């Protein structure tokens, strides 16, 4: 359980995030990299998009809980800027990325985040690039079909 005071909570949280990412997530990513032949940085690069989607779900589920949303933002900030690259075994923290947004193709009032790295979905039979693939430019996106 996290300490109740904010300073103690942040120290506890940083230690827990360091432990999780260095002792659980990093060995898993390195094992997946060895098994798949993909660069480990590409695997880590899949996480920011997932975390962005998770953030949006939290905001949608708890739009009026300002305390929870502030705490979530602070926790996310800690993961993005408080963890050094060595925790991930990389040259930089893979979660410290700038999210780029584009217009939603079917709902003009909504925006979508472009993936941090390509997920290689187009390699699967009968599939193409995702609409949010970073490999697509504006021209390719305007001609995109699901």
């Amino acid at each position: 359980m996290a300490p109740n005071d904010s300073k103690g909570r942040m120290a506890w949280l940083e230690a827990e995030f360091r432990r999780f990412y260095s002792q659980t997530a990093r060995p898993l990513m390195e094992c997946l990299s060895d098994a798949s032949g993909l660069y480990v940085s590409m695997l880590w690069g899949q996480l920011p998009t997932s975390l962005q989607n998770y953030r949006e779900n939290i905001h949608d589920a708890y739009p009026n809980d300002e305390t929870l949303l502030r705490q979530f933002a602070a926790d996310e900030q800690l993961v993005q800027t408080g963890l050094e690259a060595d925790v991930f075994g990389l040259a930089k923290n893979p979660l410290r990325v700038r999210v780029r947004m584009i217009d939603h193709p079917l709902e003009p009032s909504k925006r979508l985040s472009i993936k941090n790295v390509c997920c290689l979905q187009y390699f699967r039979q009968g599939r193409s690039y995702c609409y949010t693939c970073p490999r697509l430019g504006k021209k390719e996106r305007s001609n995109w079909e699901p």
Side-chain angles (χ1 to χ4, degrees):
M1 295 295 292
N4 288 332
D5 65 292
S6 62
K7 190 174 182 178
R9 183 183 184 286
M10 289 308 283
W12 172 84
L13 192 60
E14 182 176 349
E16 288 299 309
F17 278 142
R18 281 185 186 285
R19 182 191 57 73
F20 171 75
Y21 284 107
S22 66
Q23 295 177 19
T24 303
R26 179 179 172 184
L28 175 62
M29 291 296 195
E30 290 169 350
C31 181
L32 290 171
S33 174
D34 289 344
S36 68
L38 296 171
Y39 292 112
V40 72
S41 58
M42 185 171 190
L43 297 173
W44 279 113
Q46 301 300 317
L47 287 181
T49 303
S50 297
L51 294 174
Q52 169 71 19
N53 293 335
Y54 182 68
R55 176 188 316 116
E56 291 171 8
N57 290 339
I58 291 291
H59 281 262
D60 289 347
Y62 304 98
N64 300 318
D65 192 337
E66 292 180 24
T67 303
L68 176 99
L69 296 177
R70 263 194 312 275
Q71 188 63 66
F72 184 81
D75 295 353
E76 184 178 35
Q77 185 71 22
L78 175 62
V79 170
Q80 292 173 341
T81 62
L83 299 180
E84 299 304 322
D86 64 319
V87 170
F88 304 93
L90 299 172
K92 68 176 200 157
N93 178 332
L95 305 177
R96 189 180 304 171
V97 298
R98 182 178 60 88
V99 176
R100 297 180 299 148
M101 303 298 287
I102 55 175
D103 293 329
H104 194 292
L106 305 175
E107 299 179 48
S109 64
K110 290 189 175 182
R111 307 267 295 160
L112 296 171
S113 55
I114 294 178
K115 292 179 180 175
N116 185 49
V117 296
C118 178
C119 68
L120 306 177
Q121 181 74 264
Y122 68 94
F123 278 126
R124 294 179 59 202
Q125 186 174 355
R127 299 302 297 253
S128 62
Y129 288 101
C130 303
Y131 186 76
T132 56
C133 183
R135 294 181 181 199
L136 294 181
K138 286 183 181 183
K139 183 178 179 183
E140 292 89 3
R141 246 181 224 103
S142 66
N143 297 325
W144 181 86
E145 292 183 25

